[in-house]
C-alpha cells in the first residue's frame, strides 16, 4: 500500500500476453489509479503507463482527483480509455460518457460506472469544491433504462466498496436480466 506503483510494466506485459493469446479481451478499471499523496510528476508517468495498456473503460475513484480538477481534466480526459460515469458532474456536466458499448462479434457489451455518492468526503483537493456527486441509485436506474435494448450484457464498474456493490447487484439484477 505504501508503494502502489510497482509492476506497471509487468501488468502491461501480462495484458499484452493475454491479448495475444485470446480473441476477445475487455480491459477495465474501477478507479483509484493514483495514490493519496500529491506527486504530479509521478502521477503523469502512471497515467502514461495506463495510456500504453489501452484500457477499454474505467470509472474514476476518489483518489483520481488528488491532483485537482484541472489535472484530472488535462491528463485523464485525454487518455485513450473511456471514462464511463453516471454520477460525477463538473460544471453541471457529467465527466466522461454515461456508458459505452463494445462489440465482440455479434455480442454487444454495455459498460457503465458509478462511484458511491458520499465518497466526495475522501477527496483532499480543490476538486472537492468543484465536482458534484449525484445520487448513484437514481443515476444508475436512468442509465440502465437508456442502455436497454442496445446491448446483450451489462458490466457495471463500481467504486463503492464491496458491501455497497453487493447491494447494487441485488437491487439491479432483475433490471438487467432482460437485456
Amino acid at each position: 500500500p505504501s508503494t502502489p506503483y510497482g509492476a506497471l510494466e509487468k501488468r502491461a506485459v501480462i495484458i499484452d500476453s493475454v491479448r495475444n493469446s485470446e480473441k476477445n479481451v475487455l480491459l477495465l478499471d474501477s478507479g483509484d489509479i493514483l495514490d493519496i499523496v500529491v506527486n504530479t510528476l509521478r502521477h503523469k508517468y502512471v497515467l502514461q503507463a495506463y495510456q500504453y495498456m489501452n484500457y477499454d473503460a474505467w470509472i474514476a475513484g476518489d483518489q483520481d482527483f488528488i491532483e485537482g480538477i484541472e489535472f484530472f481534466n488535462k491528463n485523464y480526459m485525454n487518455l485513450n480509455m473511456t471514462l464511463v460515469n453516471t454520477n460525477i458532474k463538473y460544471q453541471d456536466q457529467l465527466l466522461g460518457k454515461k456508458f459505452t458499448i463494445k462489440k465482440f462479434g455479434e455480442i454487444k457489451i454495455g459498460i457503465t460506472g458509478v462511484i458511491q455518492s458520499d465518497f466526495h468526503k475522501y477527496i483532499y483537493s480543490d476538486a472537492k469544491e468543484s465536482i458534484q456527486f449525484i445520487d448513484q441509485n437514481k443515476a444508475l436506474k436512468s442509465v440502465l433504462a437508456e442502455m436497454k435494448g442496445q446491448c446483450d450484457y451489462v458490466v457495471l464498474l463500481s467504486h463503492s466498496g464491496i458491501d455497497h456493490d453487493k447491494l447494487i447487484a441485488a437491487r439491479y439484477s432483475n433490471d438487467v436480466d432482460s437485456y
Side-chain angles (χ1 to χ4, degrees), residues 3-41:
T3 55
Y5 295 115
L8 283 174
E9 72 286 353
K10 291 177 185 173
R11 182 188 307 186
V13 168
I14 291 169
I15 290 168
D16 282 345
S17 171
V18 170
R19 282 188 174 134
N20 289 330
S21 64
E22 300 296 327
K23 185 176 178 183
N24 299 313
V25 177
L26 192 58
L27 184 59
L28 309 169
D29 196 287
S30 62
D32 282 354
I33 293 171
L34 305 182
D35 68 10
I36 61 170
V37 177
V38 173
N39 187 328
T40 304
L41 181 61

Side-chain angles (χ1 to χ4, degrees), residues 22-101:
E22 300 296 327
K23 185 176 178 183
N24 299 313
V25 177
L26 192 58
L27 184 59
L28 309 169
D29 196 287
S30 62
D32 282 354
I33 293 171
L34 305 182
D35 68 10
I36 61 170
V37 177
V38 173
N39 187 328
T40 304
L41 181 61
R42 178 172 57 189
H43 289 159
K44 284 182 179 182
Y45 283 123
V46 167
L47 293 176
Q48 198 171 55
Y50 268 76
Q51 179 80 2
Y52 293 122
M53 290 184 268
N54 294 315
Y55 277 73
D56 292 292
W58 71 292
I59 177 66
D62 50 296
Q63 290 175 202
D64 295 310
F65 296 99
I66 191 69
E67 296 279 355
I69 194 66
E70 286 183 30
F71 179 92
F72 184 92
N73 283 332
K74 182 178 179 184
N75 294 282
Y76 280 100
M77 300 310 283
N78 293 321
L79 293 176
N80 65 342
M81 50 192 225
T82 303
L83 171 60
V84 289
N85 161 45
T86 60
N87 69 325
I88 307 169
K89 285 187 171 184
Y90 172 66
Q91 297 180 340
D92 291 324
Q93 299 291 320
L94 277 179
L95 289 174
K97 298 170 62 172
K98 288 182 189 177
F99 63 91
T100 189
I101 296 177

Side-chain angles (χ1 to χ4, degrees), residues 114-132:
V114 295
I115 182 171
Q116 189 170 336
S117 305
D118 68 351
F119 273 17
H120 71 279
K121 64 186 173 191
Y122 299 116
I123 296 173
Y124 305 110
S125 70
D126 69 327
K128 186 174 189 170
E129 304 303 321
S130 58
I131 61 174
Q132 302 86 42

